[in-house]
Amino acid sequence: MQNGIAADGVCSSESANGSRDVWSCKGSDSSSADHLVIMVHGILGSSSDWKFGAEQFVKRLPDKPPLLKRMLDDYDEFYFMSALRTFKRRVLYSNVAYDHIVGWRTSSIRRDSELPKWEEFLNETYPHIVYEEHCKACDADQHETISIEDDGSSDKLEEELVRGLSRVSWEKIDVSFQSSRQRFAAHSVIQVKDEVMHIEGADVIEHMIDHFLT
């Protein structure tokens, strides 16, 4: 089964990080969903390991729309987007490379064509901060000129998420450990998961603190 609609009415979409969302293609089934089922494969597995199991859940209980898609709006007593809007600031810190858990495009809520050219950016105070961008909120009309085909992406769901989350403003901070000895552990270094092993990411933490109240 490829991205989109399968012959049996099961919709599927693979994200940039290799995970897969599976849900019923019937629009009427999505209105009453109240459960999220997460199937996690082993360290040497892939999203295809649970392909059969996920499809059987959707066939028997066709209510599985993706949680992130539901969170783009408010539902009944669940105030997702309105809660996100109440924050004065929303800040994203994203690895531009070597993060094998969360890709740059995904973590920074951008399309491929929107990823900045960070190589020319230099921050002497915070050497691993390579780009900073303040993105204003975009309404639906501003997105109409951007199509999935124009952006080189085949993931319709991902485009919906980008559009939905872009309805609020974001401060996007891009981080690079490309020249670091621990670059292959960028996902841990950016948060200094271990004070000894990942100390090269300390300037990112300093940046967070220094800009916390600005």
Side-chain angles (χ1 to χ4, degrees):
M1 177 175 58
Q2 301 297 321
N3 285 0
I5 303 175
D8 56 7
V10 176
C11 281
S12 175
S13 177
E14 185 171 0
S15 67
N17 64 6
S19 63
R20 180 173 290 275
D21 285 321
V22 180
W23 68 98
S24 172
C25 295
K26 299 178 182 179
S28 60
D29 292 331
S30 63
S31 60
S32 61
D34 58 3
H35 287 74
L36 170 68
V37 178
I38 300 176
M39 298 176 176
V40 183
H41 58 73
I43 190 171
L44 298 180
S46 71
S47 60
S48 62
D49 292 4
W50 279 107
K51 177 177 179 293
F52 175 81
E55 291 178 0
Q56 300 313 302
F57 259 84
V58 170
K59 290 177 184 178
R60 295 283 300 277
L61 303 169
D63 289 335
K64 291 317 170 231
L67 177 62
L68 288 179
K69 183 176 180 180
R70 294 184 65 203
M71 292 177 69
L72 296 179
D73 293 292
D74 293 341
Y75 285 91
D76 298 325
E77 72 275 20
F78 302 108
Y79 303 103
F80 295 120
M81 279 304 296
S82 60
L84 189 60
R85 291 180 189 277
T86 61
F87 287 93
K88 184 177 180 179
R89 299 173 62 208
R90 288 160 293 274
V91 187
L92 300 173
Y93 283 79
S94 308
N95 276 317
V96 304
Y98 294 103
D99 193 322
H100 305 292
I101 308 299
V102 185
W104 183 22
R105 183 183 67 188
T106 303
S107 60
S108 64
I109 314 179
R110 292 185 178 113
R111 303 172 182 85
D112 279 334
S113 60
E114 297 170 336
L115 295 175
K117 298 184 183 300
W118 55 268
E119 292 85 351
E120 300 176 359
F121 190 89
L122 177 63
N123 191 324
E124 295 182 354
T125 306
Y126 313 101
H128 295 111
I129 303 293
V130 296
Y131 198 82
E132 298 185 50
E133 181 179 12
H134 290 243
C135 300
K136 296 181 179 179
C138 298
D139 56 34
D141 293 337
Q142 291 175 283
H143 285 299
E144 286 183 354
T145 58
I146 302 175
S147 68
I148 297 174
E149 290 77 12
D150 292 339
D151 191 59
S153 171
S154 60
D155 195 330
K156 181 179 178 180
L157 176 61
E158 186 173 320
E159 174 62 22
E160 290 183 50
L161 296 178
V162 170
R163 292 188 184 201
L165 291 172
S166 296
R167 288 182 293 168
V168 295
S169 61
W170 294 94
E171 297 174 40
K172 300 181 179 181
I173 315 298
D174 298 303
V175 180
S176 174
F177 297 104
Q178 188 161 311
S179 59
S180 169
R181 292 173 297 175
Q182 294 291 321
R183 60 184 178 275
F184 291 107
H187 187 77
S188 298
V189 177
I190 194 173
Q191 59 181 315
V192 192
K193 187 175 182 179
D194 181 283
E195 187 176 352
V196 176
M197 292 181 60
H198 309 131
I199 195 61
E200 289 188 73
D203 64 305
V204 180
I205 304 301
E206 291 175 8
H207 185 277
M208 292 181 184
I209 297 172
D210 292 345
H211 294 78
F212 187 70
L213 297 177
T214 60

